[in-house]
Amino acid sequence: MTIIGEINARDFNFFKNNCISVQYLNLEGSEIKSYEGNVGTNEGYNYYYTANEIPLGACFYWEPIDEGMPSLHKVTIPNNIVAIRRNAFARAYNLGEINFPEGLKTIDFVAFALCKSLKKIALP
């Protein structure tokens, strides 16, 4: 799946709950905007999501199964991303490859927790 254009935490929430069979997520042509509200990836909580960051829990189901997207194999992050937040890809057990952008400054703890298939990481 390739996503182009402006997106925010609400779009990630929709994606992870409705596109569970996606194997490749290409965000290269997208721009992540800020969002404040309770419809984002921190499900049910009012939260402020910063622009140019992969939001916390982006591809992680908090309830009821406490796991990541099972079919996700590869992720390409946009060049303007500066942070990947907590639990963004946690428990995406089949995630095997991820490409990081030049400007990435922060990868939060447990962002890739239990990604036991992760074999290829492309660092700038």
Side-chain angles (χ1 to χ4, degrees):
M1 173 182 271
T2 299
I3 299 176
I4 298 172
E6 295 180 355
I7 60 174
N8 63 35
R10 290 175 297 186
D11 299 305
F12 278 98
N13 194 45
F14 177 85
F15 168 74
K16 75 176 180 180
N17 288 307
N18 295 287
C19 303
I20 60 173
S21 61
V22 169
Q23 294 182 351
Y24 174 47
L25 178 59
N26 182 352
L27 298 171
E28 262 183 320
S30 64
E31 182 179 353
I32 300 175
K33 297 293 195 175
S34 64
Y35 167 70
E36 184 171 6
N38 63 356
V39 186
T41 56
N42 197 12
E43 299 167 9
Y45 296 96
N46 194 42
Y47 191 82
Y48 178 77
Y49 302 88
T50 306
N52 299 323
E53 296 183 353
I54 303 293
L56 75 144
C59 294
F60 178 75
Y61 308 107
W62 302 96
E63 299 284 336
I65 55 178
D66 194 32
E67 71 175 45
M69 294 183 71
S71 63
L72 195 60
H73 285 54
K74 181 180 178 183
V75 176
T76 300
I77 306 291
N79 286 329
N80 61 349
I81 294 301
V82 296
I84 299 174
R85 293 299 173 202
R86 176 175 50 92
N87 287 323
F89 299 98
R91 295 188 181 187
Y93 297 122
N94 293 307
L95 181 61
E97 181 178 342
I98 188 155
N99 297 313
F100 295 114
E102 289 273 338
L104 185 67
K105 295 178 181 168
T106 303
I107 299 174
D108 278 353
F109 66 101
V110 300
F112 295 94
L114 300 172
C115 289
K116 58 187 177 183
S117 298
L118 199 53
K119 291 179 177 64
K120 183 176 180 183
I121 298 172
L123 296 171

